Amino acid sequence: MRNPMTTLKSNTPKKRSPPGRIKIMKALTTLLKKKDFHSITTAGIAAQAGITEGLIYKYFTDKKGLLYEVLKEHFESFLKGIEQNIKAEDSSLARLSIIIETTIASYAGNRVFARILLLEVRNSPDYFNCAAYGLVKIYAATILEIILQGQALGEINTDVDPHVFRQVILGAMEHACLGEVLFGSRMNTKQVSEKICRILFKGVQSS
Amino acid sequence: MRNPMTTLKSNTPKKRSPPGRIKIMKALTTLLKKKDFHSITTAGIAAQAGITEGLIYKYFTDKKGLLYEVLKEHFESFLKGIEQNIKAEDSSLARLSIIIETTIASYAGNRVFARILLLEVRNSPDYFNCAAYGLVKIYAATILEIILQGQALGEINTDVDPHVFRQVILGAMEHACLGEVLFGSRMNTKQVSEKICRILFKGVQSS
Amino acid sequence: MRNPMTTLKSNTPKKRSPPGRIKIMKALTTLLKKKDFHSITTAGIAAQAGITEGLIYKYFTDKKGLLYEVLKEHFESFLKGIEQNIKAEDSSLARLSIIIETTIASYAGNRVFARILLLEVRNSPDYFNCAAYGLVKIYAATILEIILQGQALGEINTDVDPHVFRQVILGAMEHACLGEVLFGSRMNTKQVSEKICRILFKGVQSS
Amino acid sequence: MRNPMTTLKSNTPKKRSPPGRIKIMKALTTLLKKKDFHSITTAGIAAQAGITEGLIYKYFTDKKGLLYEVLKEHFESFLKGIEQNIKAEDSSLARLSIIIETTIASYAGNRVFARILLLEVRNSPDYFNCAAYGLVKIYAATILEIILQGQALGEINTDVDPHVFRQVILGAMEHACLGEVLFGSRMNTKQVSEKICRILFKGVQSS
DNA sequence: GATGAATGAGTTTTCATTCAT
DNA sequence: AATGAATGAAAACTCATTCAT
């Protein structure tokens, strides 16, 4: 069984970006810290970036295309972080723990990233065709992979539906972070992650 | 311990709405089945309702205000359904099962409602001040209440953090329904609910 | 030479107004203390009056018609005040003094009246056909009358153009009151009136 | 004692305006000759200017903002005219005569300008914060300055209140022009100015 | 690599006014 | 004498996007 994330490297050709392009992406990132995407205007982006509106369309197909590009960049470094962390572990539950903790920490440490992913992009149908969503699929596939491994190795109960389990994991993490994104409330990411794992792994029912 | 939902009744004095108002709300509900809120125009609403655009602003402060009002109505009947269903049960886990199943069935059977709640409104800050969100809070409070009761009665392990558990429940449900909302895929709600409960109650770790 | 204001009485049939009508006029008066006419809506008037928008059109042809009616009422009592005051005086300059003082005091003591007259109505061509403007003409005619009398009696220099003199008087008074209307600043009406008369009667040039 | 109008020059750096901006301002000026500001629509302005409505909002914050800008331009050239004319004179009464005559001639020769100033803008509170009103204040300050100089030099009686005198001047001029603005009646500006000066300088009282 | 000028379609919103009851 | 429901026409403003230079 191969880790879906090993495909990653080939996806990242990395030509040096022209300065204007970088400024624009940074500007959107900055603005997303304060406002939601919809109330950010191209004029606003241009002003923040110190360039003209026209230039945005030199580097990006679209306002949304720009968003996806920003998201992709964030997601790439996010995935890289996860990839490195789970290499060390060998039990599948330990790997899931790592993924959960890393994900929550990423969301918490990068509110823009979380906001885009959890609130902004899901509305638009074309998001699901963009490069960033491709990375999300890799991420999700990785989780499923680990679950299946866990069941194969007898670490995870086989009467658990792996897809539903994945959904529970994803949902739990997202919801845990929603408060941060929406209200700016702070949480102890390590603690919350552990509490989630406690519930998911051992269940809540007293024996 | 009182059920937070008992406050509900007093909130609903319901003066007879004028016909135009009703038409407008129905029109929006209808339109939301086809398009997302943002691409629905007041002109479209008026046309669908068979009234004039101006009338919308007689009865609602805003296009958004209208949305919140529609949402509130949906949520009210949704809450009422839950309230009745959980009355019959006495164990707290059984109650949670009921809530999970009813919620998922509601989301699935009422994609409009789900789409609004999961995707549309969270973006706007003023949603969190609207009446509909008030009901969401009641709903969330009810879940927390049940969890605490479960711990008090020894049905739920006391080393489980009740707030995190609630988040896991909410997240799991939402994520389970996201596929339906986003891609229109169908699921067996009863089965999915049971699988979720299986995971949350007993955990995934093989003993 | 007749005083043009003696025509006044016949203009005022004074049927007892129905309560709704009175409420509406009071409401507009109240609102004019805070906002300018243009930003006052019929909805706002109805709300303030505690009646429904429809009723306004039972008693007044128009939103503007209502304004003119309010103005007329104010103007009638204003004219009555002047009429009484000037009776006592016999020199024409004394009469002009009285008119100036009374007018300024009226403006100052009734900002709504001043606001309507100096700012609101002049914009609309149909104002010059309304009953209130008829009263304004009476008022202006009275001033001219007095000036002519003054010249006939040798009290006012005959090389003074009576029409221009009237304009100077009207303009001086209006401008003196504009500050009050626009900025809400207070002034000593008696003193200002005297200063104006001092200038108009004796001139500014040092001899 | 410095002339307040000398500040003027530094206020006018005048970067070359883009053609669209110029067209828009010209268009409004043209339209104001026929209609009052309130019944001029942005659509009308755009049509007249041969540009699109949107462009108006690129260059001006607002429809009102545009009006104030137009007003400012008119006022600037008006002030410049006065400035030059009064340089030649040395007696303060002569200077006031010049100002009165130039002002009345300006109003009469430029009904748009007069209409805006005397009728349109005074209603809106934000006018008093705009650049155009700043120029009005300079103009008013200039008049006061001259009066004070006149008193210092013994040309104007010191028992005349300078502020009230200024108000009388301003009011007299405005009222004299009101007829033109409101009814389109023509007057002999030179003659009227002289008559006003006659009254203000020598008084009306026969000696 | 970047600018500046301009577009144009669309959208919400505002309000005076009417009329049946 | 008054209400409540509804109208309709216009009007201001927004913004992503294009393109010549």
Side-chain angles (χ1 to χ4, degrees):
Chain A
M1 242 176 273
R2 281 249 297 293
N3 180 341
M5 296 204 300
T6 51
T7 350
L8 253 179
K9 279 139 202 170
S10 51
N11 283 348
T12 335
K14 284 242 158 128
K15 305 174 186 176
R16 181 77 69 243
S17 268
R21 197 189 139 97
I22 294 172
K23 277 191 220 158
I24 292 168
M25 291 183 68
K26 273 195 184 156
L28 179 55
T29 303
T30 305
L31 292 174
L32 278 170
K33 280 173 193 153
K34 301 167 214 156
K35 308 182 200 179
D36 67 303
F37 182 65
H38 212 90
S39 49
I40 293 173
T41 67
T42 51
I45 297 169
Q48 172 74 30
I51 50 92
T52 53
E53 276 182 270
L55 196 60
I56 297 175
Y57 294 86
K58 273 272 177 311
Y59 294 124
F60 307 93
T61 60
D62 224 327
K63 196 186 149 198
K64 245 178 214 163
L66 163 59
L67 177 67
Y68 297 152
E69 214 68 2
V70 168
L71 178 57
K72 191 181 132 207
E73 225 187 45
H74 280 284
F75 214 109
E76 268 166 0
S77 72
F78 163 61
L79 277 192
K80 223 163 273 171
I82 288 188
E83 197 180 1
Q84 299 212 316
N85 282 328
I86 56 175
K87 265 184 196 153
E89 306 293 334
D90 32 43
S91 114
S92 50
L93 289 185
R95 285 178 165 197
L96 288 179
S97 290
I98 292 295
I99 286 190
I100 290 172
E101 197 186 316
T102 314
T103 303
I104 290 181
S106 280
Y107 282 155
N110 195 342
R111 215 169 292 173
V112 172
F113 173 55
R115 139 154 269 141
I116 299 176
L117 217 50
L118 302 188
L119 298 178
E120 307 289 3
V121 291
R122 287 181 181 169
N123 262 342
S124 354
D126 51 341
Y127 159 63
F128 300 100
N129 298 319
C130 85
Y133 184 63
L135 297 177
V136 171
K137 282 197 285 196
I138 293 177
Y139 170 71
T142 305
I143 294 178
L144 188 61
E145 210 64 44
I146 297 176
I147 294 172
L148 292 172
Q149 283 175 345
Q151 291 186 320
L153 301 175
E155 293 163 13
I156 293 177
N157 232 313
T158 48
D159 68 343
V160 164
D161 181 311
H163 288 90
V164 172
F165 185 31
R166 177 174 62 177
Q167 280 171 332
V168 172
I169 293 174
L170 293 171
M173 293 186 305
E174 287 185 5
H175 215 92
C177 297
L178 217 50
E180 285 235 327
V181 174
L182 294 174
F183 310 114
S185 51
R186 280 258 156 248
M187 65 170 165
N188 180 327
T189 61
K190 179 139 197 178
Q191 214 173 73
V192 171
S193 310
E194 277 165 5
K195 284 174 174 175
I196 289 176
C197 290
R198 156 71 190 78
I199 292 170
L200 298 185
F201 296 168
K202 300 197 188 157
V204 302
Q205 189 167 3
S206 53
S207 42
Chain B
M1 241 177 270
R2 281 251 294 293
N3 180 343
M5 295 204 299
T6 52
T7 349
L8 255 178
K9 278 138 205 170
S10 52
N11 280 349
T12 335
K14 282 231 162 135
K15 302 174 186 176
R16 179 87 65 246
S17 266
R21 197 191 139 98
I22 295 169
K23 279 190 218 159
I24 292 168
M25 291 184 68
K26 276 192 183 155
L28 178 57
T29 305
T30 305
L31 291 175
L32 279 169
K33 280 173 193 153
K34 302 170 207 155
K35 308 182 202 181
D36 69 306
F37 180 66
H38 213 89
S39 51
I40 292 173
T41 66
T42 51
I45 296 170
Q48 172 73 28
I51 51 89
T52 53
E53 270 182 275
L55 197 60
I56 297 175
Y57 295 88
K58 267 262 157 13
Y59 295 124
F60 306 93
T61 57
D62 223 319
K63 196 183 142 198
K64 241 180 217 164
L66 165 58
L67 175 66
Y68 296 154
E69 211 72 0
V70 168
L71 192 56
K72 189 182 132 207
E73 235 187 26
H74 278 276
F75 215 104
E76 265 167 3
S77 71
F78 162 63
L79 275 192
K80 224 164 270 174
I82 287 187
E83 199 179 359
Q84 298 215 314
N85 284 330
I86 57 174
K87 263 184 198 156
E89 307 293 332
D90 33 45
S91 111
S92 49
L93 288 185
R95 286 178 165 198
L96 288 180
S97 290
I98 293 292
I99 286 191
I100 290 172
E101 199 186 316
T102 313
T103 303
I104 289 181
S106 266
Y107 280 154
N110 202 339
R111 223 170 286 173
V112 176
F113 178 56
R115 135 153 272 138
I116 300 175
L117 221 49
L118 302 187
L119 298 179
E120 311 277 10
V121 291
R122 287 183 179 168
N123 265 354
S124 352
D126 50 342
Y127 160 64
F128 299 99
N129 298 320
C130 85
Y133 183 64
L135 296 179
V136 171
K137 283 198 282 197
I138 293 179
Y139 169 71
T142 304
I143 295 178
L144 187 61
E145 209 65 43
I146 296 176
I147 295 172
L148 292 172
Q149 281 175 343
Q151 293 186 319
L153 300 174
E155 293 163 13
I156 293 177
N157 232 313
T158 48
D159 68 342
V160 164
D161 181 312
H163 287 90
V164 171
F165 184 31
R166 177 174 62 177
Q167 281 171 333
V168 173
I169 293 174
L170 292 171
M173 293 186 305
E174 286 185 6
H175 215 91
C177 297
L178 216 52
E180 285 236 325
V181 171
L182 292 175
F183 309 113
S185 52
R186 278 262 156 243
M187 66 170 164
N188 180 329
T189 61
K190 179 139 198 178
Q191 213 174 74
V192 171
S193 309
E194 276 165 6
K195 285 174 174 175
I196 290 176
C197 289
R198 155 71 189 78
I199 293 169
L200 298 185
F201 296 167
K202 298 197 189 156
V204 302
Q205 189 167 5
S206 52
S207 42
Chain C
M1 240 175 274
R2 280 248 297 293
N3 180 341
M5 296 204 300
T6 51
T7 352
L8 250 178
K9 277 139 202 168
S10 51
N11 282 346
T12 335
K14 283 245 157 121
K15 303 175 186 174
R16 182 77 69 241
S17 267
R21 197 188 140 97
I22 296 170
K23 277 190 219 160
I24 292 167
M25 291 184 69
K26 274 194 181 155
L28 178 56
T29 304
T30 306
L31 292 174
L32 278 169
K33 280 173 193 153
K34 303 169 213 153
K35 307 183 203 178
D36 69 303
F37 181 64
H38 213 91
S39 50
I40 292 173
T41 67
T42 51
I45 296 170
Q48 172 74 29
I51 50 90
T52 53
E53 276 182 89
L55 196 60
I56 297 174
Y57 294 86
K58 274 274 179 307
Y59 293 124
F60 307 93
T61 59
D62 225 327
K63 195 186 149 197
K64 245 177 213 162
L66 164 58
L67 177 66
Y68 297 153
E69 214 67 3
V70 169
L71 177 57
K72 191 182 133 209
E73 224 187 45
H74 281 284
F75 214 110
E76 268 166 0
S77 71
F78 162 64
L79 278 192
K80 219 163 277 172
I82 289 188
E83 198 180 2
Q84 297 212 318
N85 282 327
I86 56 175
K87 266 183 198 154
E89 306 294 333
D90 33 44
S91 113
S92 49
L93 289 185
R95 284 177 166 200
L96 287 179
S97 290
I98 293 293
I99 287 192
I100 290 172
E101 197 186 316
T102 315
T103 303
I104 290 181
S106 279
Y107 283 155
N110 195 344
R111 214 169 292 171
V112 172
F113 173 55
R115 139 152 271 145
I116 299 176
L117 217 50
L118 302 187
L119 298 178
E120 308 288 4
V121 291
R122 288 181 180 169
N123 262 344
S124 352
D126 52 340
Y127 159 64
F128 300 98
N129 298 320
C130 86
Y133 184 63
L135 297 178
V136 171
K137 281 196 284 196
I138 294 177
Y139 169 72
T142 304
I143 294 178
L144 188 61
E145 211 65 44
I146 297 175
I147 294 172
L148 293 171
Q149 281 177 343
Q151 292 186 318
L153 300 175
E155 293 164 12
I156 293 178
N157 233 314
T158 48
D159 67 346
V160 163
D161 181 312
H163 287 90
V164 171
F165 184 30
R166 177 174 63 178
Q167 280 171 332
V168 173
I169 293 175
L170 292 172
M173 292 187 304
E174 288 185 6
H175 214 92
C177 297
L178 217 50
E180 285 236 327
V181 175
L182 293 175
F183 309 114
S185 51
R186 281 259 156 248
M187 64 172 167
N188 181 330
T189 63
K190 180 140 198 176
Q191 213 174 73
V192 171
S193 311
E194 277 164 7
K195 286 173 173 175
I196 290 176
C197 290
R198 156 71 190 78
I199 293 168
L200 298 184
F201 296 168
K202 301 197 189 156
V204 301
Q205 190 166 5
S206 52
S207 41
Chain D
M1 240 175 272
R2 282 249 296 291
N3 180 343
M5 296 204 299
T6 51
T7 349
L8 256 178
K9 278 141 203 169
S10 52
N11 282 347
T12 336
K14 278 226 166 139
K15 302 175 188 176
R16 180 86 65 246
S17 265
R21 196 189 141 98
I22 294 168
K23 280 188 217 160
I24 293 168
M25 291 183 68
K26 276 192 182 155
L28 178 56
T29 305
T30 306
L31 292 174
L32 277 169
K33 280 172 192 152
K34 303 170 209 158
K35 309 183 201 179
D36 70 304
F37 180 65
H38 214 89
S39 50
I40 293 173
T41 66
T42 52
I45 297 169
Q48 172 74 28
I51 50 89
T52 54
E53 267 181 276
L55 197 60
I56 298 175
Y57 295 89
K58 267 261 156 13
Y59 296 124
F60 308 93
T61 57
D62 225 317
K63 197 184 143 198
K64 239 178 217 162
L66 165 59
L67 176 66
Y68 296 154
E69 212 70 1
V70 168
L71 189 55
K72 189 183 132 207
E73 235 188 24
H74 278 278
F75 215 106
E76 265 166 2
S77 71
F78 163 63
L79 276 193
K80 224 163 272 174
I82 288 188
E83 198 178 2
Q84 298 214 315
N85 283 332
I86 57 175
K87 262 184 200 156
E89 308 293 334
D90 33 43
S91 113
S92 48
L93 288 184
R95 285 177 167 200
L96 287 180
S97 291
I98 293 291
I99 287 191
I100 290 172
E101 198 187 317
T102 315
T103 302
I104 289 181
S106 272
Y107 280 156
N110 200 340
R111 219 170 290 171
V112 175
F113 176 54
R115 136 152 271 139
I116 300 176
L117 222 48
L118 301 187
L119 298 179
E120 309 280 9
V121 293
R122 286 182 181 169
N123 264 352
S124 354
D126 50 341
Y127 160 63
F128 299 99
N129 297 319
C130 85
Y133 183 64
L135 296 178
V136 171
K137 283 196 284 194
I138 293 178
Y139 170 71
T142 304
I143 295 178
L144 188 61
E145 209 67 41
I146 297 176
I147 295 172
L148 292 172
Q149 283 175 343
Q151 293 186 318
L153 301 174
E155 295 162 12
I156 293 177
N157 233 314
T158 48
D159 69 344
V160 164
D161 182 311
H163 288 90
V164 171
F165 184 29
R166 176 173 64 176
Q167 281 171 333
V168 172
I169 294 174
L170 292 171
M173 293 187 304
E174 288 186 6
H175 214 91
C177 297
L178 216 51
E180 285 235 326
V181 173
L182 292 176
F183 309 114
S185 51
R186 280 262 155 244
M187 64 170 165
N188 181 329
T189 61
K190 179 139 199 177
Q191 214 174 74
V192 172
S193 310
E194 275 164 7
K195 286 174 174 175
I196 290 176
C197 290
R198 156 71 189 80
I199 294 170
L200 298 185
F201 296 168
K202 300 198 190 155
V204 301
Q205 191 167 4
S206 54
S207 41

